[in-house]
Amino acid sequence: MKSTLLRQVARASATPVRAPTFTAATRVPFSQTEKTATHPPHARNFSNGAVLKEKAPKDDADHNKHDQYSTSGKPGAFKHEGQHSRTDNRIKVEYPEEDNLPASKPVQGRGGFHFKRTLASFSLEGRVGVVTGGARGLGLVMSQALVVSGADVAIVDLNKDEAARQAEGLMKHFREENPGAENIPKVTAHYADVSSPESVNAAIAEIVADHGKIDNLVTSAGFTENFDAIQYPFDRMQKLWGVNVNGTYLFAIGVAKHLMERKAPGSVVFIGSMSGSIVNVPQPQAPYNAAKAAVRHLASSLAVEWAHAGIRVNCISPGYMLTALTKKILDDNPELANKWTSLIPQGKMGRPEDLMGAVTFLCSDASGYVTGADLRVDGGYTVT
């Protein structure tokens, strides 16, 4: 055994060692490798990631015309460049003064007894809901949604007379559609300048005195204006921010404080806008877009901060809604209707009643595990 091992070692030591056959690669342009095969077939060319040059098309003129659509083309080579994705500073819409705002009406045919089965968790019976900006437009219809779903409602508005008229109208409408009903929802009207802490606190105290508690809050008070950013008067921008952002924040913390003092759960629904996620065209409205982006993220932030107390905070972001005020704007700017609907996958603007289900869901126990969400009701606008 030992002698055999010695013979194998001797044979191995007598075998000459072959030098490595590695051949250093020389960089050969790709165009040359196509034309020649003079380099050895076994030698591989190594690349450091250089982009390979494509063959030039036979018709260079036909090929180059497509370059005009790229960044190598001359800016403004075509009239259509960016025309569907830019703002137009010629469009200017100033929010009307309170006396000039068009009145709204409750939605007809909503609120009567029905026999279609649905989850009991969608009911708001025994709850008290507060809706800011509830005397008109989206706020009025969402107030009606809460009433239809069984809640008592406090309508808060800068125009208390209009709020009182709408509160009476909602109760009358409920009686007409529910003849013989024993429990008629209580709907009250309250004044508040939502941008003022003192006014907000006074309104919340008045609502608690009238209803005994608050369970739900819907912050619908807000407005938009269309100005080129450079030309937008700063005082008007401050007013817009004060109503849309400060007003949302002030009412939210006021109601949350009330709920925490009661050690009661609750649901807060901010009314944002798809404008908080995209840039609307062609109308310029940079401050409004920023304000609604703030509202959307405020909902997420407060959802986390108040989760321990059982207070859910969510946001609804509507798309273009055909309110009475929107109709007035379209009367003055008829070209906007075609522009807007051309950018909506469903091809139509929404109606205020399209928000009734969304707000009821987020206020009810049906959304008990939903908080910090942004529910976009926009016909698909923000997903394209």
Side-chain angles (χ1 to χ4, degrees):
M1 178 74 178
K2 187 173 183 180
S3 60
T4 302
L5 180 61
L6 290 172
R7 285 197 300 270
Q8 290 176 348
V9 171
R11 187 181 302 115
S13 61
T15 304
V17 179
R18 296 180 60 186
T21 58
F22 175 78
T23 302
T26 55
R27 295 190 60 185
V28 181
F30 182 73
S31 58
Q32 292 183 19
T33 63
E34 286 185 324
K35 298 177 182 179
T36 179
T38 56
H39 54 289
H42 64 274
R44 298 183 61 187
N45 297 310
F46 295 93
S47 169
N48 62 356
V51 179
L52 302 181
K53 182 179 179 181
E54 297 180 357
K55 289 183 178 180
K58 294 181 179 179
D59 188 350
D60 287 340
D62 183 62
H63 175 70
N64 292 336
K65 73 178 182 181
H66 299 302
D67 287 347
Q68 293 299 317
Y69 293 96
S70 75
T71 52
S72 65
K74 180 181 178 182
F78 302 101
K79 290 182 179 180
H80 70 268
E81 291 179 11
Q83 69 176 6
H84 294 306
S85 58
R86 293 175 180 169
T87 56
D88 185 347
N89 60 14
R90 294 172 298 177
I91 299 174
K92 184 178 292 185
V93 177
E94 190 171 309
Y95 192 73
E97 295 298 327
E98 188 65 36
D99 294 341
N100 295 325
L101 285 170
S104 302
K105 297 180 180 179
V107 180
Q108 299 299 313
R110 305 288 178 114
F113 287 122
H114 64 83
F115 301 95
K116 294 182 179 180
R117 295 180 180 179
T118 188
L119 295 171
S121 57
F122 281 92
S123 174
L124 295 176
E125 292 183 11
R127 310 279 178 89
V128 175
V130 176
V131 182
T132 67
R136 291 186 177 87
L138 304 182
L140 175 62
V141 173
M142 288 187 286
S143 297
Q144 185 178 3
L146 303 190
V147 169
V148 169
S149 301
D152 291 340
V153 173
I155 294 177
V156 178
D157 205 273
L158 192 62
N159 187 333
K160 187 177 180 180
D161 291 340
E162 182 66 13
R165 187 178 74 83
Q166 296 291 6
E168 180 58 39
L170 287 180
M171 289 189 290
K172 178 182 178 182
H173 189 66
F174 187 90
R175 294 189 195 96
E176 292 172 351
E177 295 205 338
N178 298 274
E182 296 181 359
N183 298 320
I184 305 299
K186 179 180 180 180
V187 185
T188 57
H190 308 269
Y191 166 83
D193 173 359
V194 298
S195 64
S196 164
E198 295 77 18
S199 183
V200 169
N201 292 335
I204 290 175
E206 185 179 87
I207 293 167
V208 172
D210 284 354
H211 291 270
K213 64 172 184 173
I214 298 172
D215 299 296
N216 300 121
L217 169 66
V218 180
T219 61
S220 187
F223 70 95
T224 183
E225 292 187 308
N226 302 119
F227 280 86
D228 179 74
I230 295 174
Q231 299 174 358
Y232 198 14
F234 184 67
D235 60 330
R236 297 196 68 88
M237 193 196 79
Q238 286 181 304
K239 180 180 178 181
L240 180 144
W241 196 270
V243 173
N244 287 284
V245 182
N246 298 349
T248 298
Y249 177 78
L250 291 172
F251 250 99
I253 61 174
V255 170
K257 182 179 179 181
H258 163 77
L259 289 168
M260 290 178 186
E261 289 173 350
R262 286 174 50 212
K263 294 182 171 58
S267 176
V268 176
V269 181
F270 292 169
I271 305 305
S273 170
M274 68 174 184
S275 304
S277 302
I278 53 92
V279 177
N280 301 71
V281 290
Q283 69 278 16
Q285 52 186 46
Y288 177 79
N289 297 347
K292 288 303 185 180
V295 168
R296 176 173 57 85
H297 199 58
L298 180 62
S300 301
S301 302
L302 295 179
V304 173
E305 192 166 327
W306 296 342
H308 72 93
I311 301 172
R312 297 184 296 109
V313 187
N314 292 288
C315 183
I316 295 176
S317 290
Y320 289 116
M321 294 287 162
L322 196 60
T323 63
L325 182 57
T326 304
K327 292 178 181 178
K328 184 177 185 301
I329 292 172
L330 293 178
D331 285 340
D332 297 333
N333 303 272
E335 74 283 358
L336 290 179
N338 288 343
K339 176 62 177 179
W340 290 348
T341 53
S342 72
L343 296 171
I344 303 171
Q346 288 193 348
K348 301 291 183 182
M349 283 184 275
R351 300 185 68 82
E353 52 264 40
D354 291 322
L355 299 176
M356 296 180 85
V359 73
T360 302
F361 168 66
L362 290 178
C363 284
S364 72
D365 292 339
S367 60
Y369 199 56
V370 179
T371 193
D374 179 30
L375 179 52
R376 299 180 188 177
V377 186
D378 63 2
Y381 192 105
T382 54
V383 296
T384 59

